[in-house]
């Protein structure tokens, strides 16, 4: 229903393949949407723990193709944690967060079932100062921030015969232009022209 495609079996098979390949922890991202799936918090966490997965709740971000995102409809990190706390005992994870975008929590159910969940509050709890992430899009563009409006064309440079050193210079220039923050709360914020679905994971 969410993806408008009947591919749930493929997603579940991919998760099992990741586990079989020895990846650990296998992280499963989910976005809660008000009046769509926000009633599934407990069942999603219970399923993830039972399957030895680390569920990560991500605040809905202004990266939609329709550019119709509204902060008023977003389920914020604080509300996610509040809902988790109604069903589970939450304890901050002992490992330092570092540059990880997720705040991690140990969750314990009344029946003793234990696991870990992450909450990525990109909008209400930005972690820009510690972020060391870049994204290479599916068509060879380098973004120094998920919300960047500019991209560096690595594919074009490679196809034109750029050397490794030239590519490194392009990447360094891209990273040097990274802004101090994504600016979602600024009145001048404009979402990137290409939505998440167009740049690849």
């Amino acid at each position: 229903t969410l993806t408008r495609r009947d591919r749930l079996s493929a997603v579940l098979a991919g998760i099992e393949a990741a586990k079989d390949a020895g990846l650990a922890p296998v992280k499963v991202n989910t976005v809660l949407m008000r009046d769509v799936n926000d009633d599934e918090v407990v069942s999603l966490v219970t399923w993830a723990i039972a399957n030895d997965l680390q569920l990560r709740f991500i605040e809905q971000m202004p990266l939609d193709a329709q550019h119709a995102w509204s902060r008023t409809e977003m389920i914020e990190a604080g509300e996610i944690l509040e809902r988790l706390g109604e069903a589970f005992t939450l304890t901050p994870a002992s490992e330092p967060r570092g540059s990880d975008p997720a705040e991690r929590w140990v969750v314990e159910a009344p029946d003793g079932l234990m696991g870990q969940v992450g909450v990525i509050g990109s909008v209400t709890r930005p972690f820009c100062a510690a972020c060391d992430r870049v994204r290479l899009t599916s068509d060879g563009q380098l973004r120094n921030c998920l919300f960047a409006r500019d991209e560096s064309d690595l594919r074009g440079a490679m196809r034109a015969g750029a050397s490794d050193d030239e590519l490194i210079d392009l990447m360094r220039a891209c990273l040097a232009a990274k802004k101090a923050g994504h600016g979602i709360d600024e009145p001048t914020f404009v979402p990137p022209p290409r939505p998440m679905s167009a740049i690849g994971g």
Side-chain angles (χ1 to χ4, degrees), residues 4-199:
R4 302 177 185 88
R5 292 164 181 81
D6 186 13
R7 296 295 306 278
L8 178 60
S9 59
V11 172
L12 296 176
I15 290 171
E16 288 304 314
K19 290 166 62 177
D20 292 344
L23 300 178
V26 174
K27 300 171 185 176
V28 177
N29 293 341
T30 187
V31 175
L32 294 180
M33 291 174 284
R34 202 171 302 283
D35 301 323
V36 176
N37 66 342
D38 59 326
D39 60 335
E40 299 177 342
V41 172
V42 174
S43 57
L44 283 167
V45 172
T46 303
W47 167 80
I49 293 173
N51 287 278
D52 197 26
L53 304 168
Q54 187 181 117
L55 193 68
R56 305 196 319 170
F57 293 100
I58 305 177
E59 287 181 335
Q60 193 173 23
M61 297 179 284
L63 293 167
D64 56 311
Q66 298 78 19
H67 296 296
W69 176 86
S70 170
R71 185 170 182 154
T72 59
E73 297 176 7
M74 178 185 71
I75 298 181
E76 299 183 359
E79 184 178 347
I80 294 169
L81 290 169
E82 185 178 321
R83 292 189 186 200
L84 287 171
E86 292 171 358
F88 304 99
T89 300
L90 294 179
T91 308
S94 57
E95 308 91 11
R97 179 177 179 179
S99 62
D100 190 333
E103 294 179 78
R104 294 186 309 276
W105 303 83
V106 174
V107 292
E108 182 177 359
D111 62 3
L113 189 69
M114 291 185 69
Q116 196 173 101
V117 299
V119 176
I120 301 177
S122 301
V123 178
T124 63
R125 300 182 184 208
F127 43 88
C128 301
C131 179
D132 64 357
R133 305 288 172 112
V134 295
R135 182 169 296 246
L136 182 63
T137 69
S138 55
D139 57 356
Q141 310 301 306
L142 189 66
R143 278 194 184 192
N144 58 25
C145 173
L146 200 54
F147 300 97
R149 295 185 53 77
D150 298 316
E151 301 172 345
S152 296
D153 182 13
L154 298 185
R155 180 182 66 178
M158 291 178 74
R159 288 182 174 175
S163 68
D164 287 352
D165 287 340
E166 289 170 327
L167 290 173
I168 289 170
D169 287 342
L170 280 173
M171 294 171 73
R172 284 185 173 147
C174 175
L175 297 179
K178 184 178 175 76
K179 295 181 178 178
H182 53 48
I184 291 174
D185 287 327
E186 300 297 323
T188 56
F189 175 76
V190 178
R194 294 208 295 167
M196 192 79 161
S197 58
I199 64 174

